[in-house]
Amino acid sequence: MTQTLPHPRGDAADPDQPGTGRAEPGALLVCAPLRIEARAVRRGLLRGVRGGGQPPRDQGGSGADRPPLEVLRTGYGTSRAAQQAEQLSHRPFGQMMIMGVGGGLSTDLSPGDLVVGTKVGAVTCPSAPLLAGELRRAGLPARTGRITTIDHLIRRSERVGLAADGFLLVDMESAPLAAAAGERPVAVIRAVSDTPHRPLAGIVSGGLAALRSLRAAAPVAERWAAACGTRQVLLAGPRSFCAGVERAIEIVERVLERQGQPVYVRKQIVHNTRVVGELESRGAVFVDELDQVPDGATVVFSAHGVSPLVRQEAERRGLAVIDATCPLVSKVHAEARRFAADGYTVALIGHAGHEEVEGTLGEAPDSTVLVQTTEDVARLRPRDEERVAYLMQTTLSVDEAAEVSAVLRERFGSVRAPGSDDICYATTNRQAAVRAVAAESDLVLVAGSANSSNSVRLVETCERAGTPAHLIDGAEDIQLGWLAGAQVIGLTAGASAPPAVVEEIISALAGLGPVSVSERVTTTESIRFGLPKEVRQ
Ligand code: SF4
């Protein structure tokens, strides 16, 4: 028998017996093999209601935010699971979540850890990163990985081989059950009860920890179901890497190839955690200042540029410098030097503390004043009101920078502007593209890191257009609550975010239901920058 949660009328049917159930179209079907697993899930769902969740319609609530669901005890072992799977494949449900305990295969797993299946038997579960991220935000220790199903209790000697084959967890039911979902969204959450260090002998205490985690995970399963549905993804074009970022990454890669690790890089080469993590794994060492670089070593300057003081320090230390400063940032530095040499006070429109701004300010510190707002312009006291110029950080919001420069022109009639726009082509193009996409979307996701000015400006551009937007490093940062009711999702990536992250996000969304992807291209880009002589072939 099955139970719709919370139990509708406390009817006489035994909810702990396996059965065929009575799911309805669109409902979340939670498959829990064992009685104690089904109970843990039910209790977790009930606790979710008591903790502020809305009771379903049949409990007197509107049920508007809660999908209909039922928990089905599917029975122990592969043969029971296969029998259930045969029946389930003919049943009307919306999405399937398999929840239970399992055996951990990796030595760094502990009892109570949750494993969200990326691939379970032959079934791929693309929404695993979304679920794992949501579980972690709920304070639960969750990882993604492959799950395998075997027809007997795991033997100690088998764990090593399965781990070597790339599996993170083993159970006795998930694979046939997951296959029964067919084209419908399916996900698997298994709580670790035993591990290589604590095999079956420790299963009682480990099992209790696993059931506690399973109970705590149940409300997240419900949020996953509420986020499931058919969607349209609108890609903004252009998006992702710009020419300056591609050049900077290629420089570090080439230095690694030629000199081997370690390769020292002052500051993050570009502001993206994925890029930095990838290069770190290959031997790049990111340092905040040059005093962390050994004498005589090679150091790469990041795409954001450095002030002359940093260059002088590198020279004094005898460091071999390879400069990955974007040529468009170097252009702004050159303008600052030229205006200052001509006796101008330079108003630098930008954000305090950003590395690019610090580098530009350092070119002419006595002549340059940072202005972040129109109020800063009102406070500006130039040496000569007839000799005022302005420059811009390359990654500003086009709209915001235009407001500040307009006030500068109003206050100082003869103010000099940069020879060509300082806000670079990549920033301008990505903002125009995301504006077009935001106009058609319920929600915009911006791939990029929190310290990426370019990416943060894309979020602000959407918000100015009246569309909610969120900055995410990857699919795991997407909160399931954002997706409930969002049918058209705009998607872009900041100039420092890798294209692969966009693909990863689309794949994760497709794990929640059918996704159609189309692109809104506002312009195309063909700019490429040459490499510095030190790394040319
Ligand atoms: S965002 Fe613009 S200034 Fe920054 S690296 Fe890319 S092209 Fe260069």
Side-chain angles (χ1 to χ4, degrees):
M1 290 295 162
T2 60
Q3 184 185 28
T4 302
L5 285 178
H7 199 281
R9 293 170 298 278
D11 62 31
D14 179 356
D16 293 335
Q17 291 302 309
T20 54
R22 48 176 181 272
E24 56 181 283
L28 165 63
L29 177 64
V30 181
C31 295
L34 301 181
R35 175 180 302 192
I36 51 173
E37 293 166 336
R39 277 187 177 159
V41 172
R42 289 189 193 105
R43 285 180 181 159
L45 291 166
L46 285 166
R47 196 170 59 178
V49 173
R50 292 190 192 111
Q54 196 178 21
R57 286 181 288 276
D58 55 10
Q59 291 289 299
S62 71
D65 297 334
R66 302 194 77 204
L69 65 89
E70 66 177 303
V71 178
L72 174 66
R73 178 158 86 85
T74 51
Y76 171 74
T78 43
S79 55
R80 296 295 291 277
Q83 284 169 16
Q84 274 293 346
E86 169 56 26
Q87 294 170 22
L88 288 175
S89 58
H90 307 298
R91 288 187 52 192
F93 58 87
Q95 53 282 144
M96 178 192 285
M97 172 72 73
I98 300 162
M99 299 184 78
V101 304
L105 297 172
S106 170
T107 52
D108 58 356
L109 283 170
S110 301
D113 286 356
L114 295 167
V115 173
V116 184
T118 50
K119 192 165 186 193
V120 180
V123 177
T124 302
C125 304
S127 66
L130 301 175
L131 255 179
E134 192 82 357
L135 288 164
R136 286 193 287 267
R137 283 187 292 279
L140 296 167
R143 288 167 60 176
T144 57
R146 288 171 63 201
I147 294 175
T148 187
T149 296
I150 61 175
D151 62 2
H152 55 273
L153 284 174
I154 182 89
R155 289 185 283 271
R156 184 187 285 259
S157 58
E158 286 178 291
R159 290 186 197 258
V160 176
L162 289 174
D165 288 342
F167 296 107
L168 192 57
L169 184 133
V170 60
D171 66 27
M172 292 174 62
E173 299 92 5
S174 289
L177 291 171
E183 298 298 308
R184 292 165 285 202
V186 60
V188 180
I189 301 175
R190 288 281 183 172
V192 173
S193 58
D194 50 287
T195 68
H197 293 314
R198 294 175 58 121
L200 297 182
I203 202 163
V204 174
S205 59
L208 289 174
L211 290 171
R212 272 197 300 275
S213 292
L214 213 53
R215 196 163 60 224
V220 174
E222 207 175 0
R223 293 207 284 279
W224 172 81
C228 285
T230 302
R231 289 203 165 78
Q232 188 184 3
V233 170
L234 294 181
L235 287 171
R239 62 184 174 278
S240 195
F241 282 172
C242 61
V245 163
E246 282 182 343
R247 175 180 180 269
I249 294 169
E250 189 174 352
I251 288 170
V252 178
E253 287 173 338
R254 286 189 175 219
V255 180
L256 277 166
E257 271 168 32
R258 287 173 183 214
Q259 302 189 6
Q261 52 179 299
V263 168
Y264 293 90
V265 183
R266 183 183 177 276
K267 307 287 186 188
Q268 292 190 348
I269 185 71
V270 301
H271 286 156
N272 187 268
T273 52
R274 295 282 182 102
V275 171
V276 168
E278 160 72 9
L279 291 173
E280 265 176 343
S281 72
R282 291 160 64 181
V285 177
F286 294 93
V287 298
D288 274 334
E289 291 305 340
L290 294 183
D291 57 13
Q292 296 166 267
V293 180
D295 287 339
T298 298
V299 63
V300 179
F301 289 158
S302 80
H304 307 103
V306 298
S307 77
L309 283 178
V310 175
R311 290 182 194 284
Q312 289 160 19
E313 172 66 5
E315 198 175 332
R316 188 187 68 74
R317 294 271 319 282
L319 302 176
V321 169
I322 301 176
D323 192 357
T325 303
C326 176
L328 299 183
V329 174
S330 299
K331 164 186 159 287
V332 180
H333 283 216
E335 288 166 338
R337 290 194 297 272
R338 183 164 53 81
F339 279 132
D342 291 346
Y344 282 82
T345 296
V346 179
L348 175 62
I349 306 172
H351 294 290
H354 191 278
E355 285 153 38
E356 180 188 323
V357 165
E358 287 174 358
T360 308
L361 284 170
E363 289 289 353
D366 297 334
S367 304
T368 312
V369 181
L370 179 65
V371 290
Q372 301 189 77
T373 62
T374 52
E375 289 76 27
D376 288 344
V377 175
R379 285 191 285 268
L380 193 60
R381 296 286 173 267
R383 283 189 298 263
D384 178 353
E385 297 214 347
E386 298 301 311
R387 293 180 88 75
V388 175
Y390 70 83
L391 298 173
M392 293 176 185
Q393 184 181 337
T394 57
T395 50
L396 292 183
S397 151
V398 172
D399 296 338
E400 234 177 301
E403 279 171 27
V404 178
S405 61
V407 176
L408 273 163
R409 283 195 298 275
E410 199 178 305
R411 190 174 158 204
F412 307 106
S414 58
V415 70
R416 294 277 305 276
S420 60
D421 282 351
D422 285 335
I423 298 180
C424 77
Y425 79 97
T427 301
T428 308
N429 290 348
R430 279 153 190 69
Q431 288 176 17
V434 84
R435 203 177 288 115
V437 157
E440 297 180 58
S441 303
D442 300 317
L443 163 77
V444 176
L445 298 175
V446 178
S449 294
N451 62 343
S452 162
S453 169
N454 182 290
S455 305
V456 172
R457 302 290 87 79
L458 293 177
V459 172
E460 292 171 356
T461 301
C462 296
E463 289 170 346
R464 277 175 174 237
T467 305
H470 300 284
L471 185 64
I472 51 173
D473 256 316
E476 68 281 0
D477 293 337
I478 299 172
Q479 295 185 24
L480 294 173
W482 299 342
L483 302 177
Q487 288 181 336
V488 182
I489 296 187
L491 180 56
T492 187
S496 50
V501 177
V502 173
E503 300 304 320
E504 171 193 304
I505 292 166
I506 293 171
S507 166
L509 292 174
L512 299 173
V515 166
S516 65
V517 181
S518 50
E519 192 172 17
R520 300 285 182 269
V521 178
T522 50
T523 188
T524 53
E525 295 174 345
S526 56
I527 292 178
R528 289 282 174 275
F529 296 132
L531 293 168
K533 63 179 184 313
E534 296 90 342
V535 293
R536 273 184 228 137
Q537 294 295 351

